[in-house]
Amino acid sequence: MSKPKPKIKKEAVPMPKQDPKERGVNFNEVAMGYKEGQAVAEAERCLQCVKAPCIKGCPVEVDIPAFVELIKERKFDEAIRKIKEKNSLPAICGRVCPQEEQCQASCTMGKIGDPVSIGRLERFVADWEREHGYDIPQISASTGKKVAIVGAGPAGLTAAADLAKLGYEVEVFEALHKPGGVLIYGIPEFRLPKKIVEAEAEYIEKLGVTIRMNALIGRLYTIEELLEQFDAIFVGTGAGLPRFMRIPGQNLCGIYSANEFLIRVNLMKAYAFPKSDTPIFVGEKVAVIGGGNVAMDSARCALRLGAKEVKIVYRRSQQEMPARTEEIENAGEEGVIFEFLTNPKRFIGNERGWVKAMECIRMRLGEPDESGRRRPIPIEGSEFATDVDTVIVAIGGTPNPIIQQTTEGLQVTKWGTIVADDNGKTSIEGVYAGGDIVTGAATVISAMGAGKKAAKAIHHYLTKKART
Amino acid sequence: MYKIVTRRELVPHISLFEFSAADIAAKTKPGQFVILRIDEDGERIPLTIAGANVGKGTITVVCHEVGKSTKQLAGLKEGDCILDLLGPLGKPAEMKNFGTVLCVGGGVMVAPLRFQAQAFHQKGNKLIGVVGARTESALIFQDEMREICDELYVATDDGTKGYKGLEFLGELLKMKKIDRVIVMGPIVTMKTVSELTRPYGIPTIVNLIPIMVDGMGMCGACRVTVGGRTMFACVDGPDFDGHQVDFEELMARLKMFTPQEKIAFVFHEAGGRSH
């Protein structure tokens, strides 16, 4: 006798979160993760569609229905193994991927209710594995070939893991003192705890990858020198240079790039000052310029560091904001104020060279621009001044230029990104590139996707080369 | 981990360190800097390189105890290790035969200036050196500079040795044909010398180490205004045209974390992290 099929719940199991008042003063993770029962209940909502539109939405093509089904059956070890066939950094992706625009966007359940919370389920099994001990997958026999990876960010670490599993000797060169790239210097502790990034990097080392810190390629060794020692190179150096607005007063004290602010807080742990040596200054009235995830991260860090008022100043409206809805909501809940259709014109300093006010202009939206979003147009005569003592400029980043400047024959676009085809192949034989250094600033998962593709292409290239 | 192979106090509160770092040594050129971190909770400290020994596989820096981290560094002994050492960073100094080069160094920066002066000497430049400090007991590397300079002048802020202040350079600039001036020292020294050479139109190069975090172009903390444009000292410099630098802004920005630096120092003196 078959039991009657239980009715599928339209609503997703909510993510347990720290109370906004409490979390506004600490750096602990905001989203606390599903418990076993919650994860199984959410997994039960998956319809196991034959066509699996979710997989097509995933840049690294994780077999989503399969791992969700395994969670439903409480086979958590098998579920994480299934994910790791495609994704070496699931604890990170489960937390910071924009699932609402990717796998979950095309989920069939989304047509009748909430889509299945794929990201939360991915995070659940990844955390389960970290608590229960890592399972090291089978590694192919050594190919006897060596690959160098430049940059230990999402693209580089993914390429490193895939190549190690294929039997390559892989060495990662990282310029900072910790691996992870933007995961370690950019995304705050309360959104992605650093112990998780460290654990994921350790897992990649367990696959046999060597990660070397304090090695700035271009200065310490050139790409040309690396090619003498390695059979292929993958460059994933990211878009880590801050942009400024080029308006008067931008170099006054109290004005940070979001990069500086977040590097101090995240990588250098300035929130623990003076126990950690790196200082940070956050005043009473903070303005964050920009509308992306980095702006949300900066604003929420500023609140946690004691600012009385934190305002996000964005030149378009809420609709055009590139930040994830979830992050905008989190910021709002914690007390961040949004000032839309507003753009700074100049910063005004005091006699000691510190910013004391900001002159802004109101904007209106015109016709859509090349990004498809409506272009902001200044409203003449609408200028006004507002008091600020701290400004964080979060208007995006540009590619790291050091490799491009020091590598002869490497083709570069007029934006400074490296020219590479869909598989990451650059103008130099044996040199591949992917992630933000090719596309300009984008997401963690798209960089991972690029790392994956490049690893495949490098494997193909070296296999073919060995035969000829 | 990077081992300290030599540690020597040159004068009170100024010490020379030689670190074992063969790959950095092989690539180092005068004018460049490193960033070091002492331990896990440490900050990233930029220091101008004062020498590189490729055979021995070491680089040299000279450090002035001015705050918590530099004091902690000074407390380390030969054989001890620091956690991180990144370099060489920044563009090397432009190096060729310019003719006569005036090299002005102040305080701890006389050490990297001497590294650069050696290279100018090897390129066949005639060298006029100025070694300066606050007071006589703080002067470093006079003999080393004398060895490579055709003429050497000493100056102190308080006049305890040599000239009092740098005003004497005005006379020197009037009398001699100088093709290039290099200044490495406190901001006021670089500003004063740049103002003195401006009327003569002599190219005057200053080496700037503002506050920085990563040292490779990511944070933008080290931005300086040069000729009205914002530059990053770490990747666009550290050498800049002294006649174009906005020293006032640079001076203000260097003081940005002064209150926090005092807190860190007091915290450390009180036992700091060991408590």
Side-chain angles (χ1 to χ4, degrees):
Chain A
M1 287 281 283
S2 67
K3 278 192 286 182
K5 225 175 172 185
K7 200 167 169 272
I8 289 175
K9 286 200 180 72
K10 283 186 186 168
E11 297 80 29
V13 177
M15 174 60 113
K17 287 204 283 190
Q18 265 201 83
D19 177 76
K21 275 219 183 74
E22 255 169 57
R23 76 187 191 227
V25 292
N26 69 48
F27 271 83
N28 300 334
E29 195 169 15
V30 168
M32 296 187 291
Y34 280 161
K35 299 264 183 298
E36 271 189 37
Q38 290 169 312
V40 173
E42 184 61 18
E44 278 168 356
R45 297 179 60 242
C46 176
L47 299 171
Q48 294 293 316
C49 312
V50 181
K51 279 191 181 161
C54 48
I55 301 181
K56 291 186 196 82
C58 175
V60 297
E61 295 166 359
V62 169
D63 188 346
I64 294 162
F67 97 76
V68 173
E69 184 67 14
L70 288 163
I71 292 178
K72 193 173 129 188
E73 293 167 10
R74 292 185 177 265
K75 292 175 182 160
F76 304 133
D77 52 340
E78 287 179 43
I80 187 66
R81 230 174 287 152
K82 185 51 82 182
I83 295 176
K84 282 195 163 173
E85 283 173 11
K86 293 290 168 73
N87 181 349
S88 298
L89 307 168
I92 292 166
C93 288
R95 287 172 166 84
V96 302
C97 263
Q99 293 100 4
E100 65 280 3
E101 293 166 17
Q102 297 178 339
C103 52
Q104 292 174 196
S106 49
C107 175
T108 313
M109 276 302 291
K111 293 186 182 123
I112 54 165
D114 294 332
V116 174
S117 306
I118 300 165
R120 295 171 186 175
L121 291 174
E122 179 182 31
R123 169 184 164 160
F124 166 76
V125 273
D127 289 354
W128 183 91
E129 185 195 34
R130 203 176 52 256
E131 281 154 28
H132 289 77
Y134 286 106
D135 186 22
I136 303 301
Q138 191 77 37
I139 298 203
S140 308
S142 170
T143 59
K145 298 230 181 304
K146 290 166 73 180
V147 182
I149 308 278
V150 185
L157 290 179
T158 303
D162 282 14
L163 287 162
K165 284 193 247 176
L166 289 166
Y168 292 96
E169 192 183 320
V170 182
E171 188 164 352
V172 181
F173 296 88
E174 168 56 47
L176 287 172
H177 58 258
K178 283 210 162 100
V182 72
L183 307 168
I184 203 94
Y185 76 73
I187 302 175
E189 182 74 22
F190 55 80
R191 206 148 75 76
L192 178 62
K194 298 306 147 227
K195 68 169 200 295
I196 286 168
V197 182
E198 280 159 23
E200 302 267 62
E202 269 168 39
Y203 166 76
I204 284 165
E205 286 180 301
K206 281 185 190 148
L207 298 175
V209 172
T210 309
I211 307 180
R212 199 176 143 184
M213 313 306 162
N214 301 315
L216 179 62
I217 301 306
R219 292 260 185 260
L220 193 61
Y221 312 111
T222 58
I223 292 289
E224 204 181 341
E225 286 167 322
L226 288 182
L227 274 175
E228 289 164 15
Q229 292 188 37
F230 294 88
D231 299 286
I233 299 174
F234 173 76
V235 179
T237 43
L241 263 69
R243 281 178 54 197
F244 287 94
M245 282 168 295
R246 299 189 183 181
I247 56 176
Q250 66 172 359
N251 296 344
L252 288 165
C253 292
I255 303 179
Y256 301 94
S257 72
N259 259 9
E260 179 187 356
F261 189 76
L262 292 173
I263 290 175
R264 284 183 183 274
V265 177
N266 300 321
L267 178 69
M268 306 313 297
K269 301 196 183 326
Y271 60 82
F273 178 85
K275 190 192 163 289
S276 77
D277 292 341
T278 304
I280 192 144
F281 167 83
V282 176
E284 295 197 342
K285 295 189 84 164
V286 179
V288 179
I289 319 295
N293 287 323
V294 174
M296 304 304 131
D297 286 346
S298 304
R300 296 170 71 193
C301 282
L303 266 185
R304 282 162 173 78
L305 290 164
K308 287 218 172 82
E309 181 192 290
V310 179
K311 239 183 221 169
I312 289 199
V313 177
Y314 182 50
R315 60 192 181 135
R316 306 188 206 231
S317 73
Q318 177 152 12
Q319 233 183 333
E320 288 81 24
M321 268 192 150
R324 295 182 67 186
T325 314
E326 188 184 322
E327 301 310 329
I328 299 171
E329 278 169 15
N330 280 334
E333 274 174 22
E334 288 165 14
V336 171
I337 302 162
F338 292 87
E339 183 104 55
F340 295 112
L341 294 167
T342 305
N343 210 25
K345 271 188 91 175
R346 67 183 175 113
F347 300 109
I348 302 152
N350 68 14
E351 65 291 343
R352 291 179 304 118
W354 278 79
V355 65
K356 64 168 188 185
M358 178 167 89
E359 188 187 300
C360 296
I361 187 163
R362 298 286 185 200
M363 314 290 275
R364 64 182 174 83
L365 293 178
E367 293 301 309
D369 61 12
E370 60 274 16
S371 75
R373 294 176 300 169
R374 294 180 64 192
R375 186 194 302 273
I377 301 166
I379 302 171
E380 260 178 67
S382 67
E383 288 88 348
F384 66 99
T386 178
D387 289 350
V388 288
D389 54 13
T390 308
V391 177
I392 303 164
V393 183
I395 57 166
T398 55
N400 280 32
I402 298 178
I403 302 262
Q404 295 87 313
Q405 286 168 0
T406 54
T407 313
E408 226 174 280
L410 185 67
Q411 255 187 47
V412 176
T413 67
K414 64 176 174 182
W415 300 281
T417 51
I418 296 176
V419 177
D421 70 10
D422 276 354
N423 295 314
K425 198 166 170 286
T426 70
S427 55
I428 299 177
E429 195 192 326
V431 179
Y432 293 74
D436 285 2
I437 194 65
V438 171
T439 58
T443 60
V444 168
I445 188 74
S446 64
M448 289 177 56
K452 230 176 162 55
K453 272 192 183 165
K456 218 185 259 177
I458 289 170
H459 178 51
H460 185 74
Y461 161 71
L462 292 177
T463 313
K464 214 169 122 193
K465 204 175 158 196
R467 282 204 206 106
T468 52
Chain B
M1 300 288 264
Y2 301 81
K3 195 169 170 182
I4 299 170
V5 292
T6 311
R7 180 208 175 280
R8 187 156 48 92
E9 191 176 72
L10 300 175
V11 294
H13 307 296
I14 295 183
S15 301
L16 175 147
F17 294 87
E18 209 179 347
F19 294 106
S20 173
D23 45 3
I24 300 177
K27 286 296 171 77
T28 294
K29 295 208 168 68
Q32 292 185 297
F33 62 99
V34 287
I35 282 197
L36 64 82
R37 211 164 69 103
I38 301 169
D39 58 23
E40 190 51 45
D41 291 311
E43 62 186 324
R44 293 169 68 94
I45 313 167
L47 289 167
T48 311
I49 302 172
N53 186 328
V54 180
K56 217 172 148 193
T58 60
I59 59 146
T60 300
V61 297
V62 173
C63 176
H64 189 188
E65 289 171 46
V66 285
K68 185 262 157 184
S69 295
T70 44
K71 188 163 185 199
Q72 189 187 353
L73 183 65
L76 298 179
K77 300 180 290 293
E78 282 177 11
D80 287 348
C81 286
I82 55 165
L83 191 55
D84 297 297
L85 185 62
L86 168 72
L89 300 171
K91 291 182 181 161
E94 191 185 342
M95 197 49 67
K96 62 176 189 188
N97 192 336
F98 291 100
T100 302
V101 180
L102 170 65
C103 293
V104 184
V108 66
M109 292 299 278
V110 172
L113 178 77
R114 173 238 186 182
F115 181 36
Q116 204 166 127
Q118 282 173 322
F120 280 120
H121 177 67
Q122 279 158 12
K123 287 278 177 199
N125 289 283
K126 184 179 177 229
L127 289 188
I128 303 173
V130 177
V131 173
R134 197 173 27 81
T135 185
E136 183 181 7
S137 61
L139 284 161
I140 61 168
F141 279 5
Q142 289 176 78
D143 295 342
E144 289 84 348
M145 281 293 280
R146 191 161 283 123
E147 267 173 39
I148 50 172
C149 291
D150 298 271
E151 290 169 36
L152 187 79
Y153 299 88
V154 174
T156 48
D157 294 348
D158 61 4
T160 44
K161 184 159 182 199
Y163 290 94
K164 186 169 191 291
L166 290 169
E167 274 60 43
F168 78 96
L169 282 175
E171 288 303 307
L172 196 79
L173 289 164
K174 243 184 245 168
M175 279 155 36
K176 299 193 186 269
K177 187 191 164 290
I178 291 165
D179 302 294
R180 196 174 180 83
V181 179
I182 311 296
V183 203
M184 295 173 87
I187 308 282
V188 307
T189 304
M190 293 192 280
K191 188 180 172 209
T192 305
V193 176
S194 297
E195 286 314 319
L196 286 169
T197 61
R198 190 191 298 277
Y200 300 92
I202 307 167
T204 301
I205 308 303
V206 294
N207 185 281
L208 307 182
I209 300 289
I211 290 176
M212 53 177 78
V213 188
D214 62 282
M216 48 194 157
M218 290 174 65
C219 78
C222 68
R223 58 198 193 273
V224 287
T225 302
V226 183
R229 288 180 57 206
T230 295
M231 309 283 250
F232 289 181
C234 66
V235 286
D236 299 320
D239 280 353
F240 292 102
D241 175 355
H243 296 148
Q244 303 274 326
V245 171
D246 182 343
F247 287 109
E248 297 302 320
E249 177 188 274
L250 179 62
M251 221 156 340
R253 288 189 65 81
L254 269 174
K255 289 182 195 147
M256 184 157 158
F257 294 101
T258 304
Q260 285 82 1
E261 283 156 11
K262 281 185 186 140
I263 293 169
F265 191 78
V266 171
F267 180 75
H268 187 65
E269 291 297 287
R273 302 197 282 257
S274 58
H275 274 217

